[in-house]
Amino acid sequence: EPPTDPITDPPTDPPTDPPIAAPIAAPIAAPTEPPMGLTNVFIEIELDLFPDETGWKIKDLAGQGVASVRAGSYTNSAPIVSKTVPLSVDTAYTFILRDSYGDGFKGK
């Protein structure tokens, strides 16, 4: 018959095997495939000395914005930024890169 008294004292014997430190790596996101009729477009931008002035937009043929990052979104912490955007394979797009200050990229 099993004991009915609860165990209240910690064990006094050491573990029979020492603990093993297992390496823990950050999880890696599996690449995602875009839905049928779309393709992933990889955008990479090297920021200048004033990254907070950089913004961009992708417009379709009708002039509708389909993806964008507004000026003020980037900081000095990342000199190169990237984003993957799913776009239709059957549509042409316009990519607009803006410098909100107006002095151009690599401005001083």
Side-chain angles (χ1 to χ4, degrees):
E1 190 171 308
T4 56
D5 294 338
I7 299 173
T8 56
D9 293 328
T12 56
D13 296 328
T16 55
D17 293 321
I20 298 172
I24 299 174
I28 298 172
T32 58
E33 290 295 318
M36 186 72 122
L38 298 179
T39 188
N40 282 331
V41 175
F42 183 73
I43 299 166
E44 184 175 81
I45 300 170
E46 182 179 354
L47 301 171
D48 65 5
L49 298 174
F50 305 99
D52 58 322
E53 298 173 0
T54 302
W56 58 266
K57 184 179 227 177
I58 298 175
K59 291 183 177 184
D60 63 15
L61 288 175
Q64 297 295 315
V66 294
S68 65
V69 171
R70 66 176 176 77
S73 297
Y74 298 126
T75 66
N76 285 333
S77 62
I80 296 178
V81 293
S82 62
K83 184 174 180 92
T84 300
V85 179
L87 297 174
S88 172
V89 296
D90 297 324
T91 304
Y93 296 93
T94 301
F95 180 79
I96 303 163
L97 186 61
R98 292 200 172 132
D99 173 72
S100 66
Y101 191 75
D103 61 349
F105 295 97
K106 301 291 182 186
K108 299 196 187 275

